């Protein structure tokens, strides 16, 4: 090994180009290096903080009706600029764009599709908190005809078909965590040299954990199996779990998943009835799917509560799904609670706060 460790390029050349499998056509390593270049540029921007001139809200609303931050738009442009020219992509989908981004005619089209969330957890920007970027790579199906509609439908494929997925976490250090289907590996940005260096090889999520993360302010909208699980954790050693749990909530999926990859835990943004029209909060193509790929590759588990997330067939580019992921034994338990409930075999969890005479009755039927 050369001084300075295994860089991302060396890792990718070794893993993909010198050891190609039928699903890993040439070019994937070059594409991932362009994605890494986007991440380095974003990292440099974010490090400037308020001095970068990109703080605050833009005057625009994204495709989900959320107010965009200036940095949401700037980081989206960084991804587009780094990845559109290389002749490896047929299209891109982003949280910040309603439609598929077609590769400009000036550049050749390639055989991959890139979906990304350029700045996950962007509400943390104003407080100098941890944020991230998430990405997912699919191959264009063989024989795909040109045209916008065809490219749209090419993105609507279950997560198990991903050929690569990853995220960047912009914390005290910037890390890139990726999987190309042979485990989940973490690289730390050496800012002085400008290289991502392999620091966390073959990450494994512990099967058991004493930590869970959920936005507890939504409790009254949760389904009974989730309320049951969380209540049991809160009951700690005096309840049926007979041990204490700790709760975390950073409001940035990247930061939560990173913690889980580093030391285990469960992250939940479950189905709830706050906005009945929405199945969940997190987006399937560029949040739930790539994170589930990384978690499974690290020995963890990821489910909607009722279905493995990597098996979910997307129906729309910006579709949302419930997400429950992390340490295998806990996620299995939560999935079992959903199954018990659906079969009517679960004694629904009733809290004294939610009984008939309570002021805190759930606002929608469950
Ligand atoms: O885009 C989604 C996201 O920012 C996630 O990164 C995070 O887990 C979640 O939303 C935070 O949601 P809430 O605002 O309910 O805490």
């Amino acid at each position: 090994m050369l001084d300075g460790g295994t860089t991302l390029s060396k890792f990718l050349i070794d893993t993909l180009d010198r050891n190609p499998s039928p699903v890993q056509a040439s070019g994937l390593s070059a594409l991932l290096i362009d994605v890494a270049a986007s991440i380095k540029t974003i990292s440099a921007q974010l490090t400037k903080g308020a001095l970068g001139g990109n703080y605050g809200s833009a005057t625009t609303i994204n495709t989900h009706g959320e107010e965009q931050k200036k940095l949401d738009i700037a980081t989206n442009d960084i991804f587009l600029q780094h990845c559109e020219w290389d002749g490896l992509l047929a299209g891109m989908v982003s949280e910040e764009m309603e439609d598929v981004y077609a590769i400009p005619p000036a550049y050749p089209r390639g055989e991959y599709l890139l979906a990304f969330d350029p700045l996950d957890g962007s509400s943390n920007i104003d407080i100098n908190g941890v944020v991230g970027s998430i990405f997912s790579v699919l191959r264009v199906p063989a024989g795909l005809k040109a045209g916008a509609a065809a490219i749209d439908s090419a993105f609507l494929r279950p997560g198990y078909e991903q050929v690569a997925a990853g995220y960047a976490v912009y914390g005290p250090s910037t890390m890139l965590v990726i999987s190309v289907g042979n485990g989940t590996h973490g690289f730390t940005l050496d800012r002085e040299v400008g290289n991502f260096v392999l620091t966390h090889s073959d990450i494994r999520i512990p099967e058991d954990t004493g930590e869970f993360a959920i936005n507890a302010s939504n409790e009254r909208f949760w389904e009974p199996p989730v309320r049951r699980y969380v209540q049991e954790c809160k009951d700690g050693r005096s309840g049926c779990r007979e041990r204490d749990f700790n709760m975390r909530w950073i409001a940035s999926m990247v930061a939560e998943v990173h913690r889980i990859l580093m030391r285990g835990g469960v992250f939940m943004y479950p189905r709830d009835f706050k906005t009945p029209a929405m199945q969940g909060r997190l987006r399937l193509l560029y949040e739930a799917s790539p994170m589930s790929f990384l978690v499974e590759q690290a020995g963890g588990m990821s489910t909607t509560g009722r279905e493995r997330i990597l098996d979910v067939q997307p129906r729309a580019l910006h579709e949302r799904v419930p997400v429950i992921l992390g340490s295998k034994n806990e996620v299995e338990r939560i999935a079992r609670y959903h199954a018990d409930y659906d079969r009517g075999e679960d004694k629904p969890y009733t809290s004294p706060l939610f009984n008939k005479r309570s002021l805190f009755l759930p606002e929608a039927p469950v």
Side-chain angles (χ1 to χ4, degrees), residues 146-166:
I151 296 289
D152 264 39
S153 63
F155 274 97
L156 302 182
R157 310 228 305 283
Y160 66 77
E161 290 194 27
Q162 292 169 103
V163 292

Side-chain angles (χ1 to χ4, degrees), residues 129 204 288 333:
R204 305 304 295 168
R333 173 185 286 266

Side-chain angles (χ1 to χ4, degrees), residues 46 55-57 62 66-72 75 95-96 117-132 215 249-256 269 281-283 287:
L46 295 177
Y55 254 39
S57 295
N62 73 10
E66 299 156 349
E67 184 190 70
Q68 285 177 305
K69 306 246 178 230
K70 285 187 193 159
L71 273 169
D72 286 323
T75 54
E95 179 177 3
E96 304 305 329
D117 176 355
L119 195 62
D120 172 70
S122 58
S123 65
N124 278 1
I125 283 291
D126 301 337
I127 58 159
N128 204 12
V130 175
V131 290
N215 182 345
W249 190 248
I250 309 176
S252 160
M253 186 191 198
V254 165
E256 317 274 6
Y269 220 118
R281 166 162 174 123
L282 300 173
R283 287 63 165 203
E287 291 180 321

